[in-house]
């Protein structure tokens, strides 16, 4: 029903997360979907999903919260923009060929050269780009970008490949993700939100490898809730609304805050 929230736990090898996100965004039913891809299995059939005593190894299980249950979804991508937001002036599918009239690879290399030593180390671990969700907005903030990975480069064409389609006219800005940026982003987003309990779905890359100690995101949410109940799991991908539409995320932490106990 309109106004309901669906919590989804899914198998990443068989559940079409991006198709579902597009379908929900394209509908007029007012349903919010928040969830995570199971991260335990190393291949198809390796994840076990349980609902009402039934165990399946593919697809998804879910819980529908009826209208009236107070919830607030939050998406923390854990990144900090560097450089300036610029317009994509030539692209083909997920290949960015030109940014603000210059070859995209040259723009990226120039940003690496201009970066601080710490940012350069972060970029060496993972090269990321933010794509503005609404290119009409004048003053863009970090939460206005969908962050995606740069997969590689075509040196002959001086282009960069991104794991997302990028249209001509899109506004992009390179991003870095490190422990300090991820911590600050999550805390900033929580600062304006209430809640008595929460489900927390951090991406598998957000754990000890990033922060140097376990339970970082769950601990931050727990502190924000002043000891309120927190549950969740590490995810191999997440689904949650961002910028007015549902998106299949990679590398994010998705939080569903419960404004009222039920």
């Amino acid at each position: 029903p309109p106004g309901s929230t669906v919590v989804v736990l899914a198998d990443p090898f068989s559940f079409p997360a991006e198709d579902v996100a597009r379908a929900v965004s394209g509908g007029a039913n007012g349903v919010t979907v928040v969830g995570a891809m199971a991260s335990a299995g190393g291949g198809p059939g390796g994840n076990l999903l349980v609902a009402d005593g039934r165990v399946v190894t593919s697809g998804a299980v879910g819980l529908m919260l009826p209208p009236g249950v107070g919830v607030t979804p939050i998406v923390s991508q854990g990144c900090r923009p560097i450089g300036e937001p610029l317009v994509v002036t030539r692209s083909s599918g997920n290949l960015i060929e030109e940014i603000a009239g210059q070859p995209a690879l040259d723009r990226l290399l120039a940003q690496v050269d201009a970066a601080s030593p710490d940012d350069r180390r972060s970029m060496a671990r993972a090269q990321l780009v933010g794509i503005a969700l609404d290119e009409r907005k004048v003053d863009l903030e970090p939460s206005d970008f969908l962050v995606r990975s740069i997969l590689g480069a075509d040196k002959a064409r001086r282009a960069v490949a991104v794991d997302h389609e990028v249209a001509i006219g899109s506004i992009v800005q390179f991003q870095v993700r490190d422990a300090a940026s991820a911590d600050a982003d999550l805390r900033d987003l929580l600062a304006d939100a209430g809640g008595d309990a929460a489900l927390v779905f951090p991406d598998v890359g957000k754990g000890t490898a990033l922060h140097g100690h376990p339970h970082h995101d769950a601990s931050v949410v727990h502190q924000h809730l002043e000891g309120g109940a927190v549950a969740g799991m590490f995810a191999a991908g997440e689904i949650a609304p961002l910028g007015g539409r549902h998106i299949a995320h990679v590398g994010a932490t998705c939080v569903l805050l419960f404004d009222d106990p039920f």
Side-chain angles (χ1 to χ4, degrees):
S4 60
T5 300
V6 179
V7 180
V8 174
L9 303 179
D11 170 57
F13 302 102
S14 58
F15 183 74
E18 293 204 10
D19 292 341
V20 170
R22 278 193 294 267
V24 175
S25 295
N29 49 17
V31 173
T32 299
V33 177
V34 176
M37 306 296 109
S39 59
N47 291 305
L48 301 180
L49 309 174
V50 183
D52 295 330
R54 182 185 174 194
V55 180
V56 297
T57 59
S58 62
V61 297
L63 172 67
M64 178 172 284
L65 306 175
V69 176
V71 293
T72 303
I74 287 177
V75 178
S76 171
Q77 298 182 95
C79 291
R80 171 171 48 84
I82 57 174
E84 297 295 326
L86 299 169
V87 177
V88 173
T89 48
R90 191 172 55 168
S91 67
S92 176
N94 71 328
L95 198 67
I96 304 177
E97 298 171 298
E98 192 178 85
I99 299 175
Q102 293 187 10
L105 180 56
D106 294 349
R107 286 279 187 188
L108 174 60
L109 295 176
Q111 187 60 65
V112 172
D113 289 340
S116 68
D118 286 343
D119 284 349
R120 217 173 285 135
R121 283 190 286 271
S122 296
M123 295 178 79
R125 287 193 295 268
Q127 294 180 346
L128 306 166
V129 64
I131 306 166
L133 294 164
D134 183 358
E135 61 273 6
R136 297 167 299 179
K137 187 173 180 180
V138 176
D139 297 318
L140 292 167
E141 301 176 1
S143 59
D144 294 320
F145 289 90
L146 171 63
V147 177
R148 289 301 197 215
S149 296
I150 295 175
L151 303 177
D154 184 331
K155 293 183 180 179
R157 299 169 66 178
R158 309 303 293 169
V160 295
V162 181
D163 65 348
H164 190 80
E165 187 168 318
V166 183
I168 294 174
S170 299
I171 296 176
V172 297
Q173 188 171 13
F174 296 114
Q175 309 271 329
V176 293
R177 177 182 289 134
D178 52 34
S181 299
D183 178 79
D185 184 54
L186 180 58
R187 293 181 187 275
D188 287 347
L189 291 168
L190 289 170
D192 296 326
D196 298 293
L199 290 174
V200 184
F201 301 118
D203 190 87
V204 289
K206 289 287 197 72
T208 303
L210 179 64
H211 293 285
H213 58 86
H215 318 309
H216 175 272
D217 287 7
S219 297
V220 169
V221 176
H222 185 65
Q223 293 166 10
H224 172 73
L225 299 177
E226 298 183 347
V230 174
M233 69 177 198
F234 277 110
E238 308 77 40
I239 299 178
L242 181 68
R245 63 179 185 266
H246 284 78
I247 293 172
H249 299 276
V250 179
T253 293
C254 294
V255 180
L256 186 63
L257 294 166
F258 292 87
D259 303 324
D260 302 295
F262 68 98

